[in-house]
Amino acid sequence: MSRLLRAYRSTGADLPFGNVLAAHDVAMEGYFWRFTQPATGQVVIALAGINRAADGHWATLGLAGHPTRFLRTAAHPEGYANPAGLGAFAGDAFRGSVDRVRVDLGPDARLDVRIRGQVPWPRRRLGGSSVFQTVPALNQYWHPWLLGGRAEGTAVLGGTDIDLDGAQVYAEKNWGRGGFPDSWWWGQAQGFADRRACVAFAGGEITARGLRTEVTAVVVALPDGTVFRLGNPVTSPVRAHVTDERWSLRGRGRTWSVEIEGASPLGSAHVLPVPLPAERRNIPGALEHLAGSMSVTVRRRGALVWADESPLAALEHGGIERARAELRKRGAPPDATSAPPLS
């Protein structure tokens, strides 16, 4: 049975009540942390993709911030993802676990944060991908495993020292067999009036052995501690209309409904890389805004439960050709894989 389970998880899938935090050893296992400091308007993100090539593992690494407009990315020759729990490692450059993240991409690109008071994903049976979690060999799976927490630590971004003590924390994983959809969209926000609130969404085209469908998932943690997820195509579908500057989502289930509106000018987006795992190299892949606006309205059986707006929302529109076109427009070198915002 253990051999069968390992074989099943090596496709990227997990059984209900499975350990979705543990590495699957698929082509790419992605890890992402976001730190939001509403009092100062600072946002810092740290990312690591642990990628599998024929000769071993390597890593796609990144550290970025707002309003510094800082971005540092790297293709690191080493990479290790913990097969027993949450963990991403790349030599001395990146070490991320459940309660601590350390990044060293040079003397002007560092992060060292401990995470206290964690608010973990509360639903034990299924993760953020819901029933799609059990389908083998999808191109992407998604799980927002940390919906809140309190940071203790600092970052150095360029010439700026950033105090992250008390910052709100969000973290997620995504993984898959190496391919990325032609287009995808993602967003996440804290920095609401009540720091217990957290919103995240992810969508795109899901493919696997003849299956092809477009799915968007929305997860909302309300100020009272309630967490709900929408995005089952049959029972709680979410419709998404996304451009490079606007994100509009509508989702409805039997009990909950949600409306999300996001906006940010294209020039404020970081261009982030995605890996080509087998080739040990990164390419441009996504336009990510670190501090867009997001308004959220939640209703329960038609009655308004919560509505608020965050000015520090992450909003992403992914697509390789889209990212390459933006780099060309910004005058980046032909071999560039990333770029900071214009404004």
Side-chain angles (χ1 to χ4, degrees), residues 112-137:
D112 189 353
V113 172
R114 295 185 183 273
I115 303 170
R116 312 292 191 189
Q118 297 184 12
V119 182
W121 174 259
R123 299 175 179 270
R124 184 73 181 88
R125 186 167 68 93
L126 293 170
S129 294
S130 189
V131 294
F132 289 99
Q133 166 188 317
T134 65
V135 179

Side-chain angles (χ1 to χ4, degrees), residues 79-328:
Y80 174 76
N82 187 352
L86 194 286
F89 308 94
D92 294 329
F94 199 103
R95 301 187 67 81
S97 61
V98 169
D99 57 4
R100 191 174 186 184
V101 187
R102 288 178 286 170
V103 184
D104 186 352
L105 298 180
D108 61 341
R110 291 179 174 170
L111 172 78
D112 189 353
V113 172
R114 295 185 183 273
I115 303 170
R116 312 292 191 189
Q118 297 184 12
V119 182
W121 174 259
R123 299 175 179 270
R124 184 73 181 88
R125 186 167 68 93
L126 293 170
S129 294
S130 189
V131 294
F132 289 99
Q133 166 188 317
T134 65
V135 179
L138 295 182
N139 54 336
Q140 286 285 296
Y141 302 83
W142 176 67
H143 181 53
W145 63 271
L146 188 64
L147 302 178
R150 183 183 71 259
E152 294 179 359
T154 60
V156 178
L157 304 183
T160 305
D161 294 338
I162 299 171
D163 181 2
L164 290 174
D165 282 355
Q168 297 171 261
V169 188
Y170 167 85
E172 68 176 44
K173 275 192 64 181
N174 71 296
W175 63 97
R177 53 184 168 82
F180 285 84
D182 292 337
S183 179
W184 67 92
W185 44 93
W186 172 87
Q188 190 275 326
Q190 290 164 304
F192 297 103
D194 193 312
R195 65 177 293 125
R196 294 171 295 181
C198 178
V199 177
F201 64 83
E205 188 175 79
I206 298 295
T207 62
R209 298 176 182 174
L211 169 69
R212 183 178 295 272
T213 186
E214 188 177 283
V215 176
T216 299
V218 175
V219 172
V220 178
L222 293 170
D224 67 0
T226 300
V227 176
F228 69 87
R229 179 197 181 279
L230 301 177
N232 184 300
V234 176
T235 61
S236 60
V238 175
R239 293 181 292 108
H241 177 70
V242 178
T243 70
D244 289 340
E245 296 188 325
R246 298 198 69 85
W247 291 254
S248 181
L249 292 84
R250 300 288 184 276
R252 180 179 297 276
R254 179 181 298 178
T255 302
W256 299 99
S257 66
V258 64
E259 300 174 8
I260 297 174
E261 294 291 338
S264 188
L266 180 56
S268 68
H270 289 72
V271 182
L272 299 181
V274 296
L276 295 178
E279 300 181 28
R280 282 187 169 267
R281 66 185 180 96
N282 296 326
I283 58 174
L287 308 176
E288 183 168 323
H289 305 254
L290 299 194
S293 65
M294 181 190 290
S295 63
V296 185
T297 303
V298 174
R299 291 180 171 85
R300 187 177 189 272
R301 296 191 173 95
L304 180 64
V305 172
W306 177 69
D308 203 351
E309 181 172 348
S310 171
L312 297 174
L315 296 163
E316 179 175 298
H317 197 191
I320 293 168
E321 291 307 316
R322 178 176 295 107
R324 283 173 169 163
E326 183 61 20
L327 285 179
R328 288 194 297 268

